[in-house]
Amino acid sequence: LGVLDGVTTNPSLMAKEGITGHQNILDHYVKICEIVDGDVSAEVISTDFNGMVSEGEALAKLHPQIVVKIPMILDGIKAIKHFSRNSIKTNCTLIFSVGQALIAAKAGATYVSPFIGRLDDISTDGLNLISEIVTVYDNYAFDTQILAASVRHTMHVIDCAKIGADVMTGPLSSIKGLIKHPLTDSGLKKFLEDFKKGKIEKISQVHLTLGQAYFELLKFEDAKKQFRTAARDKDKKIKTQANNWIKYTENEEIRVKNLALRRDYIQSQS
């Protein structure tokens, strides 16, 4: 569509696409970076500080667009702080509360990813979490961006935009849904029907105009015959009037012909 800014990935999505094996996963990250211009989130597998730092630094070296995705755990916050100090972009994932979003921003996360769909699944308002994080971040002017994740449908996309999420990651169907509207579809259908109808009507109008002109010209021929007969009359006054009417009829005949041709041209070019 030409509107994609970046891509988020995780082990589950990789597995669904059949991408397995450490090197294959790394190669896939690079391929994604070559397709999009924006950030690409690549997730670490380790859950301890040293492991996350080691993995994250290796991921960051793959491509300048790589954002290291770190889980919201204690060692994850420590790792985010480390990466922040070393100018490595991070995405703190699996955010389910305002407190988690607050501590991630304090650690210097580039993004936080609240999972709104999973909250909805347990009868909790995921959108309300986005709204609360926006308020807290505005209060303290945090640079951390809110990346709405676990988006399930098009209304999630729209509502996140209304609330003030900085970024949204979701399935392609939720993005394509933004394009669709039944009134757009019905309106376009009507426009096309009217266009086709209009073309047919214009063709009919041309034929009607030429038909009318032909009828008028036949009347002129009949009139001229009568005037020519009168012009042979012995009465000079009648002859003079008859000749004048012949000239008038001939002029009118020319005018109707020109009008018919002109209308035919205009309507044919419409």
Side-chain angles (χ1 to χ4, degrees):
L1 297 174
V3 298
L4 190 66
D5 296 311
V7 173
T8 58
T9 68
N10 61 47
S12 298
L13 293 173
M14 287 290 193
K16 284 181 181 178
E17 293 300 319
I19 302 164
T20 58
H22 181 66
Q23 192 56 50
N24 288 335
I25 292 173
L26 296 182
D27 292 342
H28 194 67
Y29 289 147
V30 175
K31 288 178 182 178
I32 295 173
C33 290
E34 291 171 350
I35 295 172
V36 299
D37 296 327
D39 290 340
V40 176
S41 291
E43 190 163 349
V44 298
I45 304 302
S46 299
T47 56
D48 64 285
F49 174 75
N50 290 329
M52 284 187 277
V53 168
S54 178
E55 279 189 57
E57 289 177 346
L59 289 170
K61 289 177 182 177
L62 288 175
H63 198 281
Q65 290 168 229
I66 290 290
V67 176
V68 181
K69 201 171 182 183
I70 304 291
M72 168 41 71
I73 56 177
L74 184 60
D75 275 5
I77 293 301
K78 292 178 182 179
I80 289 170
K81 189 64 178 180
H82 168 81
F83 290 132
S84 177
R85 286 172 177 160
N86 289 277
S87 300
I88 293 175
K89 293 181 286 187
T90 55
N91 176 358
C92 188
T93 189
L94 293 170
I95 297 287
F96 293 99
S97 73
V98 178
Q100 290 177 325
L102 174 60
I103 200 71
K106 284 290 290 178
T110 311
Y111 301 97
V112 292
S113 292
F115 278 46
I116 60 175
R118 293 194 191 182
L119 285 170
D120 288 351
D121 290 343
I122 60 168
S123 303
T124 302
D125 190 349
L127 291 170
N128 185 61
L129 174 60
I130 299 289
S131 180
E132 289 180 344
I133 297 172
V134 168
T135 299
V136 171
Y137 281 14
D138 287 347
N139 286 346
Y140 298 98
F142 286 126
D143 293 327
T144 301
Q145 295 186 55
I146 303 167
L147 193 160
S150 187
V151 165
R152 301 288 172 78
H153 48 73
T154 302
M155 281 311 300
H156 267 165
V157 180
I158 294 170
D159 288 334
C160 284
K162 287 179 180 179
I163 293 168
D166 299 289
V167 189
M168 179 285 304
T169 184
L172 184 59
S173 59
S174 68
I175 299 171
K176 284 186 174 181
L178 296 169
I179 300 169
K180 298 288 290 182
H181 195 286
L183 291 180
T184 300
D185 296 339
S186 61
L188 180 58
K189 182 181 178 183
K190 183 72 165 58
F191 290 157
L192 294 175
E193 288 175 350
D194 288 346
F195 174 73
K196 291 177 182 178
K197 181 181 177 183
K199 285 184 70 175
I200 294 171
E201 285 181 349
K202 283 180 180 178
I203 292 170
S204 298
Q205 287 171 2
V206 171
H207 290 165
L208 181 61
T209 300
L210 295 175
Q212 288 176 329
Y214 180 70
F215 179 70
E216 293 293 331
L217 293 176
L218 287 178
K219 290 198 294 185
F220 288 139
E221 284 298 322
D222 290 341
K224 283 191 292 183
K225 285 180 182 178
Q226 294 183 33
F227 293 143
R228 287 191 182 108
T229 300
R232 292 193 291 270
D233 196 276
K234 294 180 180 180
D235 189 319
K236 290 183 178 181
K237 188 174 181 180
I238 293 175
K239 289 177 67 174
T240 301
Q241 288 179 342
N243 285 323
N244 288 339
W245 277 108
I246 289 171
K247 290 179 181 180
Y248 173 78
T249 303
E250 287 173 344
N251 289 335
E252 282 297 294
E253 187 177 21
I254 292 170
R255 184 182 70 80
V256 170
K257 282 182 179 179
N258 289 337
L259 180 62
L261 290 173
R262 178 172 170 272
R263 290 182 68 182
D264 180 27
Y265 174 76
I266 291 172
Q267 292 177 11
S268 297
Q269 297 296 312
S270 299

